[in-house]
Amino acid sequence: MPKVTSVIVPYATYLRVYEPLAAFPQPERDHWARYARRPDHPSCQDELRRALTDLVPTPPVPVPVHESDDAFVLEVDGVICVCPWRTRLRGWQALGELAEDFPLPVLDALLPPVVRHQAVRDYERWLTDHPDARPWIRTATWQVPINWFVLVSDEEREYLKGTADEAPVLRYRTPMVEARRRVARGLRALKDAVDEGPLIDGLVDVGRWLEEFHPRSLVELDYGGLVHALPAGALEEDHSAADVAEGIAALRRGDGVRAGAAYARLVERWRSVRDLRSAN
């Protein structure tokens, strides 16, 4: 459970894939095997603080100069699984999405054009040598994308109430085979009900991403720092995955009324977060 400190990086949520060591080629496999034996491992807050440190200098460093050799580590049914940070790759990808989140004058103030253009050139050169690169972690801010909830079940929900020294935790963990099965079933139900839409597009995208990983991987949906943006008591009562599952099941039965009611519960639950985002 992450520690509450004077520097809390809020409002980011994560979709992570933990792969077994056997999925990695040598010598990377040996590196992660040694890494997993370490007595302690950094947290997601540690990862984000390191990234923010690069934004302090003038000009800022939006993408690390070197790729991270850190990872998150889990033991799944006796098998060590790791989720590499790949901070540099994710930094490049996040940089490409900034234009969708900020008006150009604001973006120029945050990251000068010369800095962004250099990062784009660096990424293009890097991709020529790493055409199949993909991140093990997806990040969203101020939300949990609805298509992420399709991957998990309410029975897999883990809620840990916060204390004076530790932040609350809300996450889901599911086997890769289950996540892929739910994507396929969800897509069938949605495509039978509607021709197209952002939920279908998002689910197709995340489904393709999951296919890149070992079938014995573990998928984790983590509310991360978003727990700090939700009202008191909201986390404990949050069963968004159950609402999404109910809505998809209703669509499969052709019950538009029940599907609409499930969607309305989701909208109402996340209204306070949207309002807070707008206020910022």
Side-chain angles (χ1 to χ4, degrees), residues 113-132:
V114 65
V115 174
R116 301 201 307 275
H117 295 160
Q118 182 60 54
V120 169
R121 288 193 293 270
D122 291 343
Y123 186 33
E124 291 172 348
R125 284 195 297 268
W126 185 86
L127 276 179
T128 61
D129 296 325
H130 307 82
D132 299 323

Side-chain angles (χ1 to χ4, degrees), residues 13-16 138-141 143-152 199 202-203 206 209 220-222 241 244:
T13 59
Y14 308 93
L15 190 62
R16 305 187 183 102
R138 289 191 165 195
T139 304
T141 54
Q143 63 169 325
V144 179
I146 292 179
N147 60 77
W148 290 9
F149 286 120
V150 177
L151 313 183
V152 298
L199 182 54
L203 201 52
V206 79
W209 178 65
E220 177 183 70
L221 191 168
D222 182 3
V244 170

Side-chain angles (χ1 to χ4, degrees), residues 132-250:
D132 299 323
R134 80 285 197 260
W136 279 254
I137 304 172
R138 289 191 165 195
T139 304
T141 54
W142 293 101
Q143 63 169 325
V144 179
I146 292 179
N147 60 77
W148 290 9
F149 286 120
V150 177
L151 313 183
V152 298
S153 165
D154 191 62
E155 288 74 22
E156 296 158 345
R157 180 180 182 272
E158 299 178 40
Y159 172 63
L160 304 175
K161 188 175 295 186
T163 67
D165 298 321
E166 296 181 324
V169 171
L170 181 54
R171 66 185 174 219
Y172 300 78
R173 288 173 175 169
T174 190
M176 176 63 77
V177 291
E178 290 294 336
R180 290 176 178 171
R181 184 178 297 118
R182 290 166 183 151
V183 168
R185 294 182 66 189
L187 277 174
R188 284 197 298 269
L190 288 168
K191 288 180 177 179
D192 287 344
V194 295
D195 292 331
E196 58 184 4
L199 182 54
I200 290 178
D201 294 342
L203 201 52
V204 168
D205 177 61
V206 79
R208 288 173 178 166
W209 178 65
L210 293 179
E211 290 295 332
E212 298 286 336
F213 300 99
H214 193 283
R216 292 192 62 190
S217 300
L218 184 86
V219 180
E220 177 183 70
L221 191 168
D222 182 3
Y223 273 48
L226 193 65
V227 299
H228 303 288
L230 294 171
L235 275 180
E236 193 165 359
E237 300 170 1
D238 187 317
H239 290 270
S240 295
D243 288 331
V244 170
E246 182 178 335
I248 290 176

